[in-house]
Amino acid sequence: MPPSDHPAGPGPASADPAGSTPVVGTPTALSVSAGPNTSGPLTADSPANGEPLLVATGVRKTYRAGRGLGGRSRVHAVDGVDLTVSAGETLGVVGESGCGKSTLARLLVGLERPDSGQVRYAGLDVGTARGVRRRELRRAVQMVFQDPVASLNPRMPILDVVAEPLDVHRLARGATARRDRVAELLEMVGLSPDMMRRFPHEFSGGQRQRIGIARALATEPRVVVCDEPVSALDVSVQAQVVNLLAELQQRLGIALVFIAHDLGVVRHVSHRVAVMYLGRLAELGPAATVYQDPAHPYTRALLGSVPVRHPRERGRERIVLAGDPPSPVDPPSGCRFHTRCPIAQDVCGRDAPALLVPESDTPTAAGQRLAACHFAGTP
Amino acid sequence: MTSGVESQRRSPDADLPAALRVRSLDVTFTGRRGTVPAVRGVDLDIAAGEVLVLLGESGSGKSVTARAVMGLLDPGGVRVSSEQIRVAGHDLTSADPEQVRKLRGQTMALVFQDALSALNPVLSIGDQLGEVFRLHRGLSRRAARTEAAELLRLVGIPAPDRRVRDYPHQFSGGMRQRILIAMAVALGPRLLIADEPTTALDVTVQAQILQLVDRLRRELGMGVLLITHDLGVAAEIADRVAVMYAGRIVETGTVAEVLDGPAHPYTAALLRSVPDLAQPGDRLRPIPGSPPNLLALPTGCAFHPRCDRVTEECTVTRPERRPLAVPGRTAACHHAEEAVDAPV
Ligand SMILES: Nc1ncnc2c1ncn2[C@@H]1O[C@H](COP(=O)(O)OP(=O)(O)O)[C@@H](O)[C@H]1O
Ligand SMILES: Nc1ncnc2c1ncn2[C@@H]1O[C@H](COP(=O)(O)OP(=O)(O)O)[C@@H](O)[C@H]1O
Ligand code: SF4
Ligand code: SF4
Ligand SMILES: [Mg+2]
Ligand SMILES: [Mg+2]
């Protein structure tokens, strides 16, 4: 296997970072100040090529916990996450349900503001931008949901579903231009333009997800954040949509954030992978490194619980985690994984480990991996 | 025809009656939109202590098959017919609804995907589990609660003596699924049907639940019909696999046989479409087209519009499921022999 293996065809090393693709809002056009964190620990997870488009620094988000838990308690949904996403790369995000993946997605696209920390797109604060800049951000950073069409007006034909972002951002002048652009977008996602007169319920799950992707691409975004985009689809159809996303990501050179709980799918599409546990990053690095040589005990346990491919592997050694993740309302002190970690020591309950290059790692051309564990890399 | 030799060889309880034997099960829904042939000609064989995984994509008829076996299909708007349904030697084909109701819980039990909606939110777990013993065994409330705690221990719930007093919402999703399994195995059924029991759970918890089911079928010697759309679940726990497509079983065999040499092109295509953690980097190979519409099934073989081996014959004549050279293996494909021999 090549050292930096990629979903299909050329990867970030050969991808066109920002240039020739037909994008409207280029990062430079938007920049008001230089990105704050292109040096320091974050450089370690940036691929060799491709500039960071989206930079999250220390983002935190809490919610009021439900009734009955005391008025003051809060859910620590995302608790200090640093990461970058670059043009031409796919960053996968995995972790058990409730670990904060969807919250992180909403923070990255500016649908929610962090309590503290920042998300910057081309130097611009995604959470606080107002007016023209907010519009530009909305256009440049798009999101795809699990079933994006389900929440729409069932009486809205697909033409209007896909054209809505064009209308909002006044990107198509006149009915003909609007229709032509929708036809182009539908073709891009492998649907026949004849379908634009039909209604959402006439489409299968896979087709609806294609429509959702066409809609997200309407504004020619530079960053697309997909939250569980194929989780509701049957495997055979899942593969169609996964291939489509990988292909579009490369053709358009966009930065793609791909969130899913299916570790196989994430491995398949991602150049880099972020492993989340209870609102924090446990491990972040090149997909090949994280999957083949996980440094964090949680990553190892997560990979160990993926079902075998063949019954002959049933006897393999694996760590099966006991129980479920603890509540994010009152998360464990120190390392949040210490209550389930098979190699936890006293220090783990006291001190939260920082996200660092494990001591046992040697730098590789494919990029460095980071892990948040006092004993990262210890088998 | 199907289980016979294979399962007897493996099963430690081969002298017990088969946990399940189904012949020619048909289920048809009749509604305003037309008649839906949801299940057609389904045969199933599960020996005592054996796990059969019924594998198929959504809408292929897995849940309807399970509900038909359990006698749980609402009588309105549905026609169910079969040559035979036997559970642990009991003939359900000729049983009246009251007899079937008695067998449910005692002899056969069902675990659903959605544990929260299957549990009563206002009854403590101890009372819900205990009810089973009070109703079927006539135990006192106190004795039933002790039994309930014992069951919770069996399915791996920590501090069971304390937790019997808790309510469903106080348990995590994985714990609730354990509780449902506890309830299902309370009376020592000979057949456990689990319909997508891990689909809503994280892989970490899925691994725990599959281990639990595997342990219980050994300890209690139950036959298990485990329904899933996930090939990994089959690889993890199945003895044998039956693959469903458009209401029919299209292939059966041991899990290793089916994974190593799928005899039906649909199974082969399904295997190819799943990302392989060990071999990333290839383009995924999806199955073209979409799953079939039961109201307008293709002529001949229902898979023919999506099949890479389709020939003229396939578009005209529906292939009957037939035994292959290996005992216990069957497939419903005109070109099954070529498919078995092809590299996966
Ligand atoms: N709007 C909200 N109000 C209260 N709690 C929330 C809200 N959104 C998410 N949470 C909580 O935050 C945590 C993280 O949730 P989420 O980001 O949805 O995780 P994931 O997508 O990884 O499953 C969970 O405990 C969830 O219940
Ligand atoms: N009560 C019902 N009325 C009409 N059609 C139904 C009913 N229940 C199931 N079906 C249809 O039967 C087919 C098989 O359903 P099901 O067994 O639930 O599939 P699976 O469990 O394999 O996903 C589907 O096409 C479904 O729409
Ligand atoms: S810091 Fe300690 S508890 Fe946390 S993952 Fe590492 S060894 Fe386990
Ligand atoms: S019968 Fe023909 S169409 Fe059907 S699966 Fe076999 S080869 Fe394909
Ligand atoms: Mg989510
Ligand atoms: Mg079902």
Side-chain angles (χ1 to χ4, degrees):
Chain A
M1 200 182 308
S4 72
D5 48 35
H6 291 306
S14 53
D16 178 353
S20 59
T21 42
V23 283
V24 188
T26 60
T28 33
L30 269 168
S31 292
V32 286
S33 65
N37 251 307
T38 44
S39 63
L42 285 171
T43 45
D45 63 38
S46 306
N49 295 298
E51 72 230 74
L53 278 181
L54 211 53
V55 179
T57 17
V59 284
R60 288 202 155 73
K61 180 75 194 174
T62 60
Y63 298 104
R64 268 238 315 275
R67 280 165 297 123
L69 287 158
R72 287 182 162 269
S73 61
R74 298 189 74 84
V75 181
H76 299 260
V78 169
D79 194 25
V81 166
D82 297 306
L83 52 78
T84 66
V85 198
S86 298
E89 81 160 342
T90 300
L91 173 72
V93 181
V94 295
E96 287 161 294
S97 57
C99 72
K101 302 182 295 297
S102 296
T103 305
L104 179 64
R106 292 193 298 270
L107 292 167
L108 289 178
V109 302
L111 282 176
E112 291 199 71
R113 282 172 71 166
D115 299 351
S116 63
Q118 263 190 340
V119 177
R120 288 179 164 258
Y121 168 79
L124 205 61
D125 190 325
V126 169
T128 58
R130 288 287 167 269
V132 180
R133 297 213 167 100
R134 179 154 191 84
R135 268 179 107 77
E136 276 304 314
L137 277 170
R138 280 264 187 260
R139 181 166 149 180
V141 184
Q142 286 283 336
M143 183 145 170
V144 172
F145 299 93
Q146 184 163 323
D147 188 353
V149 182
S151 56
L152 296 171
N153 180 351
R155 284 197 287 259
M156 203 187 221
I158 293 310
L159 169 64
D160 294 335
V161 168
V162 176
E164 198 173 59
L166 299 174
D167 303 341
V168 168
H169 293 276
R170 299 194 199 93
L171 293 174
R173 285 171 211 287
T176 314
R178 185 172 180 265
R179 206 171 42 239
D180 289 351
R181 177 71 178 132
V182 170
E184 188 185 6
L185 286 162
L186 288 177
E187 273 182 344
M188 211 184 221
V189 299
L191 291 174
S192 159
D194 309 338
M195 293 180 166
M196 68 172 79
R197 296 279 164 210
R198 299 213 209 144
F199 296 90
H201 72 265
E202 298 177 59
F203 293 87
S204 67
Q207 288 172 324
R208 286 214 296 268
Q209 193 49 280
R210 287 174 194 269
I211 293 165
I213 295 166
R215 187 177 142 99
L217 293 177
T219 61
E220 301 187 9
R222 301 290 295 129
V223 181
V224 178
V225 177
C226 303
D227 190 8
E228 308 270 3
V230 299
S231 305
L233 305 177
D234 273 314
V235 271
S236 70
V237 180
Q238 216 176 56
Q240 296 176 3
V241 176
V242 166
N243 280 347
L244 173 70
L245 279 169
E247 188 189 299
L248 289 170
Q249 186 268 323
Q250 275 160 28
R251 186 143 60 90
L252 306 177
I254 47 181
L256 192 70
V257 178
F258 190 100
I259 296 171
H261 60 268
D262 184 319
L263 290 149
V265 170
V266 168
R267 170 73 182 97
H268 193 82
V269 295
S270 307
H271 302 116
R272 288 187 308 134
V273 173
V275 181
M276 281 185 84
Y277 188 77
L278 274 182
R280 292 189 181 154
L281 293 187
E283 188 157 358
L284 172 66
T289 314
V290 172
Y291 274 75
Q292 277 155 34
D293 177 29
H296 196 286
Y298 177 62
T299 314
R300 274 187 237 135
L302 200 59
L303 289 168
S305 51
V306 173
V308 296
R309 287 286 292 193
H310 195 282
R312 82 172 84 83
E313 297 164 22
R314 280 180 194 168
R316 82 183 160 167
E317 256 185 63
R318 65 194 328 188
I319 309 157
V320 173
L321 286 181
D324 306 81
S327 160
V329 174
D330 186 16
S333 60
C335 174
R336 290 192 162 184
F337 188 52
H338 85 258
T339 55
R340 294 166 94 197
C341 179
I343 61 166
Q345 305 282 323
D346 288 347
V347 63
C348 305
R350 283 195 311 270
D351 304 335
L355 190 65
L356 298 168
V357 177
E359 271 176 36
S360 52
D361 275 16
T362 47
T364 59
Q368 195 78 61
R369 156 262 301 281
L370 305 170
C373 169
H374 295 305
F375 306 100
T378 312
Chain B
M1 166 188 65
T2 46
S3 96
V5 190
E6 280 302 310
S7 50
Q8 281 177 17
R9 182 154 44 78
R10 223 180 351 268
S11 165
D13 299 309
D15 43 335
L16 291 174
L20 179 67
R21 181 178 164 87
V22 174
R23 286 294 172 276
S24 301
L25 175 67
D26 283 0
V27 180
T28 310
F29 292 101
T30 50
R32 281 166 286 123
R33 297 255 215 99
T35 53
V36 180
V39 172
R40 280 290 173 268
V42 160
D43 302 335
L44 295 168
D45 290 277
I46 305 176
E50 182 182 49
V51 178
L52 174 74
V53 163
L54 187 59
L55 182 73
E57 293 181 86
S58 55
S60 57
K62 306 180 298 295
S63 296
V64 170
T65 299
R67 297 214 306 268
V69 168
M70 294 289 298
L72 284 173
L73 286 168
D74 293 331
V78 63
R79 281 200 312 271
V80 184
S81 76
S82 64
E83 270 171 28
Q84 190 179 55
I85 301 181
R86 289 182 82 81
V87 176
H90 300 272
D91 184 5
L92 301 198
T93 332
S94 57
D96 61 44
E98 181 53 26
Q99 288 169 312
V100 174
R101 199 187 58 74
K102 277 209 177 119
L103 288 174
R104 271 202 303 272
Q106 304 240 25
T107 310
M108 56 183 182
L110 180 62
V111 174
F112 292 102
Q113 173 183 335
D114 184 3
L116 191 53
S117 67
L119 291 166
N120 185 338
V122 298
L123 271 188
S124 76
I125 289 303
D127 283 342
Q128 292 187 59
L129 279 170
E131 193 174 69
V132 179
F133 295 108
R134 280 183 289 146
L135 282 180
H136 288 271
R137 298 258 165 90
L139 295 189
S140 70
R141 185 143 190 263
R142 203 197 167 101
R145 193 169 262 229
T146 312
E147 288 287 325
E150 206 40 57
L151 265 182
L152 291 184
R153 197 183 325 277
L154 177 74
V155 297
I157 300 225
D161 299 316
R162 186 164 54 77
R163 302 240 46 193
V164 283
R165 272 176 239 127
D166 290 345
Y167 291 83
H169 74 268
Q170 292 170 285
F171 292 85
S172 68
M175 288 296 163
R176 284 197 289 260
Q177 198 55 274
R178 284 175 192 270
I179 291 166
L180 269 204
I181 292 172
M183 210 175 275
V185 303
L187 301 172
R190 309 316 308 152
L191 173 70
L192 178 72
I193 303 183
D195 190 353
E196 310 255 7
T198 60
T199 299
L201 305 175
D202 284 306
V203 279
T204 47
V205 182
Q206 167 170 287
Q208 300 165 14
I209 296 291
L210 293 180
Q211 278 189 352
L212 172 66
V213 171
D214 198 44
R215 174 164 69 75
L216 290 177
R217 62 103 167 212
R218 280 176 215 288
E219 287 176 6
L220 310 176
M222 321 174 279
V224 177
L225 175 64
L226 195 140
I227 293 172
T228 182
H229 64 277
D230 187 338
L231 277 163
V233 170
E236 195 73 56
I237 194 174
D239 293 319
R240 287 186 314 115
V241 176
V243 182
M244 258 188 121
Y245 189 80
R248 290 178 187 274
I249 289 178
V250 295
E251 162 155 23
T252 65
T254 67
V255 60
E257 285 163 1
V258 171
L259 293 176
D260 289 338
H264 197 281
Y266 169 65
T267 315
L270 206 56
L271 285 171
R272 284 195 301 265
S273 68
V274 183
D276 185 352
L277 270 184
Q279 289 178 339
D282 295 348
R283 236 181 102 83
L284 294 180
R285 289 172 292 174
I287 305 181
S290 348
N293 174 0
L294 292 178
L295 288 170
L297 280 179
T299 56
C301 172
F303 187 57
H304 90 250
R306 310 173 77 188
C307 183
D308 57 0
R309 288 186 185 275
V310 59
T311 58
E312 186 66 39
E313 185 188 16
C314 308
T315 64
V316 185
T317 315
R318 185 172 59 74
E320 290 291 342
R321 194 158 57 89
R322 60 199 165 83
L324 303 179
V326 178
R329 287 206 80 179
T330 65
C333 169
H334 296 303
H335 305 290
E337 280 73 14
E338 298 148 51
V340 169
D341 293 334
V344 185

